[in-house]
Amino acid sequence: MIKGMISRQNKIMKNKLKYLFRDMKDKKIGYLFAAPFTLLFLTFTVLPVFVSIFFSFTYYNVLETPVFIGLTNYIKLFLEDDIFIIALKNTILFASITGPISYIACLLFAWLINELRPTIRAVVTTLLYIPSISGSAYLIWLIFFSSDRYGYLNSILLTLGLANEPIAWLKNPAYIMMVIIVVSLWLSLGTSFLAFIAGLQNIDTSLYEAGSIDGIKNKWFQLWYITLPVMRPQLMFGAVLSITASFAVSDICVQLAGFPSVNYAAHTVVTHLMDYGSIRFEMGYASAIATFLFFIMIGVNKLVKILLRRVGE
Amino acid sequence: MMYKKIIAFSIAIVILLSGFNSFNLLSAKENISVPVYEGLGTRNSYSNYINNNKNAKPASKDVVIDCSVYSKTDMEIEKFTDFGGVLGESVLTSEEGFIEWTFDVPESALYNLKIMYYPYNGKGTNIEREIYIDGKLPFSECSNIALTRLWVNDPNGIKNDSRGNNLTIKQVESPVWTESYFEDITGAESKPYFFYLSKGRHIAKFVSVKEPLLLGKLIFNNFSDCPNYSNYKSKSAPVIGNYFYKIQGEDSVLKSSSTLVPVNDRTSTKTEPYNVSKIRLNAFGGIRWQNSGEWAKWEFEVPETGYYKIAVKFKQDQSKVILPTRKIYIDDAVPFSEMKKYSFKHNTDWQIERLNADGNDYEYYLEKGSHSIKMEVTLGNYSRYIKEIQNSLYILNEAYRKIVMITGVVPDAYRDYRIPLKLPDILNTFKEQSEILSKISKNLEGITLKAKSELVPIDTLASQIKDFSTRPETIQTRLDKFESNISGLSGWLLTSQKQSLLIDYMLITGKDNPLPNITSSLWERISQQMLSLINSFFEDYNTLDSVDKDNTIDVWMSSGKDQANILKTLIDSSFSNKSGIGVNLKLATGAPLTNAIVAGIAPDAAIEVGNSDPVNYALRNAVVDLASFPDFNTIKKQFYESAITPFRLNDGVYALPERQGFYLMFYRADILEQMGLTVPDTWDDLMAVLVELRNYNMEIGIPAGGSGDVMTMLATLLYQQGQEIYKNNQTLTAFDTKISLNTFKKYTEFFTNYGLPLYYDSANRFRTGEMPVIISDYSLYNTLSIFAPEIKGLWKMTGIPGFKTKDGIDNTVATGTVGSIILSQSKKQKQAWEFIKWWTSSDIQAQFGKELESLLGEAARYPTANIAAMEQLPWRRSDYKILKQQWAKCKGIPEIPGSYFVPRNLDNAFRTVINENSDAKQTLLNYIDTINKELESKRSEFSLEKRMRLQ
């Protein structure tokens, strides 16, 4: 009887596989089209994640063969590493300020710009989008926030009599994070901003007409009940981008505050990872950090998904 | 209770006293009299000299000094007879010391000085001398007689790499006896300098500044000037109708400097010869040929005597205002006075033009046979303006400094400093300078016409100081703008003096020959662009490989293409053919070495590897211990121990040093002298100088801004007191000793108590004089010599201050090194060892340094770590001595497992003290714990104790 069940199950399984193969054969063009991306995605995204998870359980000094050491890296990460706590604090602080603000700013700007005439819209869009495509252009902020007396901001403050001596914006832990947040907000009108504009333009105007018949009185109602729910896919896309961007922040910190920054004031999870990976050659530990960051991001993504579901309710 | 009372009482006293103090300080400041400066203009310049002697008549007789008959000298002299096939006695003077001649002058008159010399084999740079007459510098320009060497392209011709690209052609010296007048190379004076010599006996003295020199004769005579064009044309000869001779720019036969190499131009398909993807050396000059006095010579032939025209195909896309100007010689003489300064117009494309005046082509009288044409960079008409601007800048810098002495660099906007009262002349100075600058701007505008926008820096400054002169009360609020306007103009001056001119070819033609078409057609351009795009996928300019694969090693270097090119040429000419080992040289910038090691594709050797990397790799068994090679002990004697220190781990040495950097002290001799201050040689003296400078709102620069500075400075201060950085067999930091804690405190006090600036641009502040004393890496020397011409000769460098000990002052300095490594993965370690031995050897390092400098100019002077090589680099002797003294006192900072953690935490400790005003000693102690923990954990990671016991 049991044997019969097993054999039946096997049969079903075999059938399923057969069906799958037949199905694949039928739609081979589709699979063929998907293959290049799938392959690249597997090799360069999925595989590294698993490799990194594997290394996180080893001692691996990059140049010699890894040694399996169990959970030691994670124990050290959560219980011993003070600097990791600083890095985590900085990252969360950074993410929770720039993430939402940049997200909302993107949305607002997109919404405002959408009201403009097409030619002006194109110009304004380009202007706002320029900072994020111009590579390391944010380095000009180094002059603005230079610690020298002749740095722009210091010079202004000194002439106005608001400061008595030059402030070391990028060498004093009290200011570093603030500066980095300001600069990254300047940079933040990026891809999600474009996605929002595209989303806004795809909205069927008849919906607004229907809405006004149904009693929507002002623009805010329109935004909340029609515009946002319709562009939920773009909202999700933007959210994912801004979460990954703000949790993986590192370049700006390194370029502006140096690496490592004074008293780790601009140390984020990713720079901490770089510190262990490339300076101390402790790749196993660095992988543990990466794995941890990976799961944080997944968690936050899930959270945002839940929040976005409530838009327009 | 008692305690509280005492504290309260003492606080009261402190408050009272400090009140008094600040009151005293204030009143003291009010009464400060500002020292009087002598500007550049009032110094003993040639224009003053000639003005004082303007009534003297020109000489009619020659005075000839036979240099071998000298009256006095302090150097080792070598005499030659008929040297180089030229009859007569000559004397070889060395690169240090003086030589004097006594001579009789038959009549009181103005004389030009002609020097007959032979550029004797030295270090390949210009020969520099000072000339004194009767023990005095007649005028300040006499301190800078520059005699050029003579260079030719390597007679073996242009060589190709294995991919068919032309390699940069080597320049070799080709000395001959040369006669040269002592003249203003910038072209401000139309005749050579005049010396006024009275009738009777005189003493001429040559003081060596740089390079040895073989002297034949000194001749004081009257220079015979060339005619103007209309007189020149008066000679009757036929005007040649049809002749066409092309001289390729890259084929110049003689030049004054080794930087004047043929270059590659691919901006036009018409540049000859042209190749769409390969490097062809097809043009001459460009940015390599832009400094006054640099010249090159070409040869050509004409079949019959007559008048010819000369055309030049050139590219001048650099300067719209100060047009590049050349002094043109035919057969080593300027044919007519218009040729003393011929300017080339600006255009972004290649141009071709016959040498002409307002469209009328010049015709040159040439006799049948071979001739030469020589072009020398000169500032010509612009020289006057440049000198005036330089002078203005000096005066304005000085005015700025005077104001700063009263107001400080950040003046209180609401206080009345009474500047016009305290500096009665300053408003006049401003007015005068403003008029001078406006006039220059107008004149330049007249010359350059449409390029008004290029003159903005002059106009801005002129209008600002004009406004200062009428509204002096605004000076204090606009001081920083004033400073930046001054630096703006200095920068402008620096770039506009560059006289770059690229020459493809020259033509000697008859009057009827048309000029060739030099613009490529649209189709040509499109097809060439496409081809070159396609080729760019296949051409690899970053690999300079050799052909023989079997006995070939891979070497990675991390600097630029120019360096790689030079090194490759050196390898081909003096490594591969001697050792039989081929070298694949690859440019790998960034940090790909680690990745390559992991992937198992690391090179055999890597050069230009940073201070801490060798030990880091050694800990992970990725590099070879060089001490295991039998001849290591003889090799290492070429370097100071300080250079090797960072590469040591246990008993091994994991790299050979290439470059070494350390601090020196730079000071403005003029400012210190005016203030009656001596150059400090201890830290206490330095602080005393600071106090004096502070009275006049000036500062001192001590490194602390950069992230590595704190470590290096602290190590320096500790070494000077005989303290080490690590203790316990290099396992713990020694920062917790009493000396260390006190030193750290003292170091932070420079910035907290004395309020020294942490962040500053050294070159700029040194130039304005805000920071007359700066401790900086010695590369600042190179920057200053290029970047700040207006203070040339006014600053000096010397060793850093030290601490007094029993045996005098100890001014040891901590140093960092860049080195070459051999990777353990390599299967050709022996060959790699041969290579890095060759590369770090004195001859090669010196040659590399010289060629780098000849290619990139003085700013690129190579900081070699090889002791013998440094001596061969073209330093001024006096500067070299200082450099060497300090170098001998260098001490390396050891690298140990986890030592990356030390500078980082010292920096953190330092900034915590500065930012939070916390107690220096306590803060440092806290960070020492962190450091030691990391050091221990790294040691246990590599189980070093175990490894050491096993050994």
Side-chain angles (χ1 to χ4, degrees):
Chain A
M1 174 89 172
I2 293 171
K3 228 179 174 182
M5 261 173 82
I6 292 176
S7 66
R8 217 170 62 211
Q9 248 173 359
N10 274 349
K11 223 173 179 179
I12 292 170
M13 279 293 285
K14 263 185 195 156
N15 276 339
K16 263 195 174 171
L17 274 178
K18 218 160 102 188
Y19 279 121
L20 182 66
F21 281 127
R22 193 181 294 161
D23 195 44
M24 281 175 81
K25 229 176 181 177
D26 287 347
K27 298 172 181 162
K28 65 171 179 255
I29 299 292
Y31 279 97
L32 212 63
F33 272 117
F37 173 76
T38 318
L39 273 178
L40 289 177
F41 182 72
L42 287 176
T43 5
F44 293 109
T45 310
V46 179
L47 189 69
V49 169
F50 283 104
V51 169
S52 159
I53 294 176
F54 165 74
F55 277 136
S56 72
F57 295 105
T58 63
Y59 163 76
Y60 178 39
N61 74 9
V62 183
L63 303 180
E64 291 170 328
T65 337
V67 183
F68 189 76
I69 51 167
L71 280 173
T72 320
N73 283 332
Y74 288 97
I75 293 169
K76 189 178 161 197
L77 183 63
F78 294 119
L79 300 180
E80 285 174 34
D81 193 347
D82 297 338
I83 296 159
F84 177 67
I85 303 300
I86 299 177
L88 194 61
K89 188 198 83 186
N90 284 339
T91 312
I92 290 174
L93 184 77
F94 179 86
S96 55
I97 295 178
T98 52
I101 292 185
S102 76
Y103 187 66
I104 291 168
C106 280
L107 190 60
L108 269 181
F109 275 107
W111 190 45
L112 287 177
I113 284 169
N114 198 40
E115 304 289 312
L116 299 172
R117 268 186 294 143
T119 36
I120 303 178
R121 185 165 61 207
V123 173
V124 177
T125 312
T126 318
L127 282 180
L128 290 174
Y129 187 56
I130 273 178
S132 54
I133 50 168
S134 41
S136 308
Y138 58 85
L139 288 181
I140 59 150
W141 289 91
L142 277 180
I143 311 175
F144 189 81
F145 286 109
S146 164
S147 306
D148 192 301
R149 200 175 62 230
Y150 297 118
Y152 291 163
L153 187 55
N154 275 330
S155 180
I156 293 170
L157 291 180
L158 288 170
T159 348
L160 293 179
L162 293 175
N164 291 322
E165 47 193 79
I167 297 168
W169 297 105
L170 296 166
K171 293 280 173 187
N172 190 337
Y175 305 109
I176 295 177
M177 210 56 204
M178 196 183 78
V179 171
I180 289 174
I181 287 174
V182 168
V183 175
S184 43
L185 282 179
W186 176 74
L187 276 175
S188 62
L189 292 182
T191 319
S192 39
F193 167 67
L194 289 190
F196 290 163
I197 291 184
L200 283 168
Q201 283 175 14
N202 272 342
I203 294 172
D204 191 347
T205 37
S206 60
L207 286 177
Y208 291 125
E209 281 168 32
S212 69
I213 292 167
D214 282 351
I216 282 177
K217 287 193 185 92
N218 59 29
K219 284 256 166 193
W220 294 104
F221 273 45
Q222 223 180 45
L223 181 70
W224 183 251
Y225 287 112
I226 299 173
T227 315
L228 292 184
V230 171
M231 56 184 287
R232 212 176 265 151
Q234 282 87 5
L235 288 180
M236 190 59 213
F237 175 69
V240 172
L241 276 183
S242 94
I243 290 163
T244 34
S246 41
F247 273 98
V249 61
S250 69
D251 255 12
I252 303 185
C253 300
V254 172
Q255 299 289 350
L256 292 181
F259 178 59
S261 46
V262 174
N263 270 330
Y264 304 107
H267 216 58
T268 62
V269 173
V270 175
T271 55
H272 195 54
L273 187 156
M274 281 159 58
D275 192 2
Y276 274 92
S278 60
I279 293 190
R280 305 186 200 201
F281 293 101
E282 291 180 30
M283 204 45 97
Y285 190 70
S287 299
I289 300 173
T291 311
F292 179 67
L293 186 64
F294 178 68
F295 284 109
I296 289 189
M297 283 197 195
I298 289 188
V300 177
N301 270 338
K302 286 263 173 268
L303 191 76
V304 168
K305 232 181 209 168
I306 294 167
L307 286 179
L308 279 181
R309 225 173 272 150
R310 318 200 61 148
V311 165
E313 280 176 13
Chain B
M1 274 308 270
M2 195 60 190
Y3 279 123
K4 267 192 183 165
K5 264 187 190 168
I6 292 174
I7 291 172
F9 190 66
S10 40
I11 288 175
I13 286 181
V14 167
I15 290 170
L16 263 176
L17 278 182
S18 61
F20 266 119
N21 258 340
S22 56
F23 178 70
N24 280 344
L25 259 177
L26 265 180
S27 57
K29 263 194 181 165
E30 292 288 311
N31 290 329
I32 279 168
S33 63
V34 175
V36 182
Y37 288 132
E38 284 199 340
L40 203 62
T42 59
R43 283 191 304 173
N44 135 34
S45 69
Y46 179 68
S47 50
N48 283 357
Y49 178 82
I50 204 70
N51 245 340
N52 293 341
N53 295 308
K54 60 171 172 252
N55 294 327
K57 62 181 173 72
S60 56
K61 292 183 189 119
D62 291 5
V63 181
V64 179
I65 304 174
D66 181 355
C67 294
S68 62
V69 191
Y70 56 89
S71 52
K72 211 165 136 193
T73 184
D74 69 340
M75 44 188 174
E76 276 183 28
I77 290 286
E78 207 177 328
K79 282 196 194 179
F80 297 99
T81 309
D82 303 343
F83 186 90
V86 171
L87 293 182
E89 300 281 316
S90 54
V91 57
L92 177 63
T93 62
S94 59
E95 52 184 343
E96 229 178 332
F98 72 88
I99 181 166
E100 276 182 7
W101 303 273
T102 315
F103 61 101
D104 289 311
V105 174
E107 55 169 346
S108 302
L110 289 171
Y111 294 85
N112 297 115
L113 170 63
K114 188 155 84 174
I115 303 165
M116 191 184 150
Y117 73 100
Y118 183 92
Y120 196 79
N121 195 18
K123 292 170 191 169
T125 57
N126 277 352
I127 303 155
E128 286 180 26
R129 291 293 182 269
E130 294 175 339
I131 181 169
Y132 291 77
I133 305 281
D134 300 326
K136 274 195 313 199
L137 272 185
F139 43 91
S140 55
E141 285 83 351
C142 287
S143 63
N144 187 16
I145 300 185
L147 301 168
T148 55
R149 292 179 178 280
L150 304 170
W151 299 86
V152 295
N153 286 340
D154 186 350
N156 297 328
I158 295 173
K159 288 203 183 110
N160 287 348
D161 68 6
S162 56
R163 289 159 203 268
N165 293 307
N166 284 172
L167 289 168
T168 310
I169 188 164
K170 203 179 156 187
Q171 300 298 302
V172 289
E173 268 193 76
S174 160
V176 288
W177 279 100
T178 307
E179 284 183 1
S180 153
Y181 274 103
F182 173 37
E183 59 188 344
D184 181 8
I185 50 168
T186 65
E189 304 293 330
S190 66
K191 288 181 180 178
Y193 288 127
F194 282 105
F195 289 86
Y196 174 74
L197 298 173
S198 61
K199 191 178 172 195
R201 179 152 286 204
H202 292 279
I203 298 171
K205 177 161 90 171
F206 262 41
V207 177
S208 304
V209 180
K210 228 162 82 174
E211 300 275 357
L213 168 67
L214 185 62
L215 276 168
K217 288 188 177 71
L218 296 181
I219 301 160
F220 284 102
N221 66 358
N222 189 9
F223 166 78
S224 55
D225 207 354
C226 52
N228 62 17
Y229 184 59
S230 50
N231 286 341
Y232 176 80
K233 272 285 281 182
S234 62
K235 207 177 292 178
S236 76
V239 176
I240 304 298
N242 181 22
Y243 182 62
F244 190 85
Y245 188 96
K246 192 184 270 180
I247 317 165
Q248 288 294 343
E250 60 272 21
D251 293 336
S252 71
V253 291
L254 199 66
K255 40 216 152 177
S256 67
S257 160
S258 54
T259 53
L260 302 177
V261 292
V263 291
N264 171 233
D265 173 85
R266 215 181 294 158
T267 55
S268 155
T269 55
K270 295 276 183 168
T271 315
E272 304 173 0
Y274 175 82
N275 186 303
V276 69
S277 65
K278 304 289 180 199
I279 295 173
R280 289 285 168 268
L281 302 177
N282 53 6
F284 180 85
I287 53 163
R288 301 246 163 92
W289 192 31
Q290 58 182 12
N291 299 319
S292 291
E294 290 174 339
W295 55 259
K297 198 195 251 180
W298 293 264
E299 278 171 355
F300 62 93
E301 263 171 37
V302 290
E304 53 189 311
T305 304
Y307 282 102
Y308 292 82
K309 289 181 177 180
I310 298 179
V312 182
K313 183 187 170 195
F314 65 95
K315 187 169 186 181
Q316 197 285 88
D317 56 353
Q318 301 280 327
S319 179
K320 284 185 195 163
V321 186
I322 310 274
L323 298 179
T325 304
R326 294 293 181 270
K327 190 173 178 181
I328 299 171
Y329 301 76
I330 304 284
D331 297 329
D332 289 320
V334 179
F336 45 90
S337 55
E338 283 80 356
M339 285 294 105
K340 281 183 178 170
K341 36 197 173 191
Y342 188 85
S343 299
F344 291 87
K345 287 184 213 71
H346 177 272
N347 196 316
T348 46
D349 280 328
W350 281 94
Q351 309 173 59
I352 187 162
E353 75 174 20
R354 293 203 163 96
L355 301 181
N356 68 79
D358 307 324
N360 299 321
D361 300 344
Y362 288 125
E363 288 170 348
Y364 298 80
Y365 175 76
L366 297 168
E367 275 169 12
K368 182 183 171 187
S370 56
H371 295 273
S372 74
I373 178 169
K374 173 171 143 183
M375 290 199 187
E376 181 178 324
V377 183
T378 175
L379 284 168
N381 287 332
Y382 305 103
S383 168
R384 203 155 43 88
Y385 300 123
I386 298 236
K387 282 204 172 150
E388 276 172 22
I389 294 178
Q390 251 174 20
N391 200 22
S392 268
L393 275 176
Y394 185 86
I395 292 170
L396 291 174
N397 259 328
E398 182 190 306
Y400 170 72
R401 216 154 55 226
K402 280 182 188 166
I403 297 171
V404 164
M405 284 179 174
I406 293 167
T407 63
V409 275
V410 187
D412 184 341
Y414 305 105
R415 185 170 150 192
D416 183 6
Y417 290 98
R418 291 182 287 168
I419 293 170
L421 264 178
K422 286 178 198 156
L423 301 168
D425 295 337
I426 202 136
L427 298 186
N428 258 336
T429 312
F430 280 145
K431 205 168 153 217
E432 255 172 48
Q433 295 308 320
S434 151
E435 278 160 14
I436 292 174
L437 289 178
S438 313
K439 209 170 136 198
I440 295 172
S441 161
K442 253 202 203 91
N443 287 340
L444 283 177
E445 200 190 333
I447 301 174
T448 55
L449 293 171
K450 282 171 218 149
K452 176 83 182 153
S453 60
E454 308 270 321
L455 300 169
V456 165
I458 309 182
D459 295 336
T460 320
L461 188 59
S463 69
Q464 188 184 34
I465 56 179
K466 192 176 165 203
D467 201 36
F468 278 174
S469 70
T470 51
R471 297 193 301 150
E473 71 280 2
T474 62
I475 293 177
Q476 65 204 58
T477 51
R478 294 155 74 189
L479 202 56
D480 58 338
K481 201 80 192 112
F482 180 40
E483 198 269 353
S484 64
N485 282 342
I486 294 180
S487 2
L489 185 55
S490 312
W492 179 87
L493 193 62
L494 203 63
T495 43
S496 44
Q497 277 184 63
K498 307 244 150 107
Q499 301 266 297
S500 102
L501 179 71
L502 191 63
I503 289 186
D504 183 19
Y505 54 73
M506 282 175 279
L507 299 172
I508 311 295
T509 65
K511 74 172 166 40
D512 302 331
N513 298 76
L515 293 178
N517 173 25
I518 57 158
T519 38
S520 18
S521 65
L522 184 68
W523 167 241
E524 244 176 333
R525 259 180 291 167
I526 294 174
S527 63
Q528 292 304 315
Q529 290 290 340
M530 285 308 293
L531 270 176
S532 109
L533 176 71
I534 293 164
N535 272 300
S536 70
F537 293 104
F538 303 103
E539 283 296 331
D540 177 7
Y541 299 107
N542 288 333
T543 309
L544 304 167
D545 62 350
S546 81
V547 194
D548 173 23
K549 296 279 173 207
D550 295 332
N551 199 19
T552 294
I553 56 170
D554 278 330
V555 175
W556 283 11
M557 71 186 291
S558 58
S559 49
K561 176 82 180 149
D562 285 320
Q563 283 86 339
N565 239 322
I566 296 173
L567 183 54
K568 181 61 190 166
T569 324
L570 280 176
I571 289 171
D572 286 344
S573 64
S574 62
F575 179 68
S576 291
N577 53 6
K578 278 176 201 154
S579 63
I581 301 166
V583 176
N584 274 340
L585 196 60
K586 282 191 183 136
L587 273 173
T589 32
L593 200 54
T594 319
N595 303 354
I597 296 170
V598 178
I601 50 166
D604 297 291
I607 63 176
E608 298 173 326
V609 177
N611 201 50
S612 58
D613 292 344
V615 164
N616 265 327
Y617 289 133
L619 281 168
R620 294 155 180 92
N621 299 321
V623 286
V624 176
D625 178 11
L626 306 180
S628 62
F629 290 101
D631 49 349
F632 176 78
N633 280 330
T634 47
I635 295 297
K636 80 167 187 193
K637 282 187 193 126
Q638 302 176 80
F639 314 99
Y640 284 110
E641 175 55 37
S642 62
I644 303 178
T645 311
F647 303 145
R648 285 185 186 280
L649 179 72
N650 301 333
D651 295 326
V653 174
Y654 294 90
L656 278 187
E658 291 169 37
R659 295 188 306 229
Q660 203 178 352
F662 48 88
Y663 292 137
L664 277 175
M665 186 164 75
F666 294 82
Y667 64 93
R668 287 284 296 268
D670 55 338
I671 295 178
L672 291 193
E673 193 185 315
Q674 281 148 11
M675 301 190 58
L677 296 171
T678 49
V679 182
D681 48 10
T682 66
W683 293 104
D684 291 339
D685 287 355
L686 185 71
M687 287 303 113
V689 166
L690 174 63
V691 172
E692 286 295 318
L693 291 176
R694 261 295 157 76
N695 280 337
Y696 299 107
N697 296 312
M698 289 188 266
E699 309 267 13
I700 280 176
I702 293 181
S707 50
D709 287 340
V710 176
M711 174 77 175
T712 321
M713 267 311 287
L714 200 60
T716 300
L717 292 170
L718 290 179
Y719 285 157
Q720 292 183 349
Q721 299 171 85
Q723 163 92 52
E724 292 294 326
I725 292 185
Y726 300 112
K727 63 181 181 186
N728 246 351
N729 207 4
Q730 314 270 45
T731 56
L732 293 173
T733 59
F735 290 128
D736 50 357
T737 63
K738 202 173 161 194
I739 297 182
S740 304
L741 292 172
N742 282 333
T743 309
F744 182 71
K745 185 158 182 255
K746 193 169 172 161
Y747 178 52
T748 54
E749 278 172 355
F750 289 151
F751 306 94
T752 52
N753 291 3
Y754 291 96
L756 288 182
L758 283 158
Y759 313 99
Y760 51 85
D761 175 2
S762 4
N764 237 329
R765 295 224 187 158
F766 190 71
R767 195 166 47 90
T768 61
E770 267 169 73
M771 263 187 192
V773 180
I774 282 187
I775 293 176
S776 160
D777 188 84
Y778 80 82
S779 58
L780 181 63
Y781 179 94
N782 306 338
T783 317
L784 286 176
S785 39
I786 298 297
F787 175 74
E790 78 269 20
I791 54 166
K792 193 179 177 189
L794 301 178
W795 56 273
K796 292 204 171 75
M797 65 174 186
T798 182
I800 62 163
F803 281 96
K804 274 206 179 94
T805 59
K806 301 193 286 291
D807 335 303
I809 292 161
D810 185 350
N811 71 340
T812 309
V813 62
T815 166
T817 320
V818 168
S820 313
I821 55 175
I822 300 177
L823 283 302
S824 324
Q825 289 176 5
S826 163
K827 293 192 179 77
K828 298 168 188 155
Q829 293 179 4
K830 275 233 171 63
Q831 287 94 323
W833 171 239
E834 287 305 317
F835 174 75
I836 67 168
K837 260 195 324 198
W838 168 85
W839 160 236
T840 55
S841 70
S842 60
D843 282 353
I844 297 308
Q845 286 281 303
Q847 221 169 323
F848 181 78
K850 280 189 228 169
E851 288 189 15
L852 193 64
E853 195 168 335
S854 67
L855 204 65
L856 305 177
E858 214 179 325
R861 183 156 303 156
Y862 184 67
T864 178
N866 187 304
I867 304 167
M870 180 70 94
E871 194 170 348
Q872 294 177 50
L873 292 180
W875 287 92
R876 283 167 163 250
R877 293 319 288 173
S878 50
D879 293 333
Y880 170 71
K881 269 189 190 160
I882 287 159
L883 190 73
K884 196 173 174 196
Q885 270 169 13
Q886 185 70 71
W887 196 10
K889 290 231 174 132
C890 275
K891 193 165 172 176
I893 301 175
E895 289 288 335
I896 60 172
S899 60
Y900 55 82
F901 221 59
V902 182
R904 176 190 297 193
N905 279 293
L906 280 182
D907 208 55
N908 285 340
F910 178 78
R911 312 252 173 238
T912 309
V913 175
I914 303 282
N915 292 332
E916 291 163 24
N917 254 330
S918 53
D919 179 68
K921 294 183 187 178
Q922 195 51 50
T923 312
L924 183 60
L925 280 173
N926 290 343
Y927 280 95
I928 288 172
D929 277 351
T930 324
I931 296 174
N932 282 342
K933 241 186 235 159
E934 178 76 13
L935 295 185
E936 263 166 51
S937 86
K938 276 286 151 180
R939 289 187 73 76
S940 66
E941 179 189 333
F942 296 109
S943 39
L944 284 176
E945 264 72 26
K946 233 190 301 170
R947 274 195 210 176
M948 274 159 86
R949 241 176 282 137
L950 282 175
Q951 284 167 356

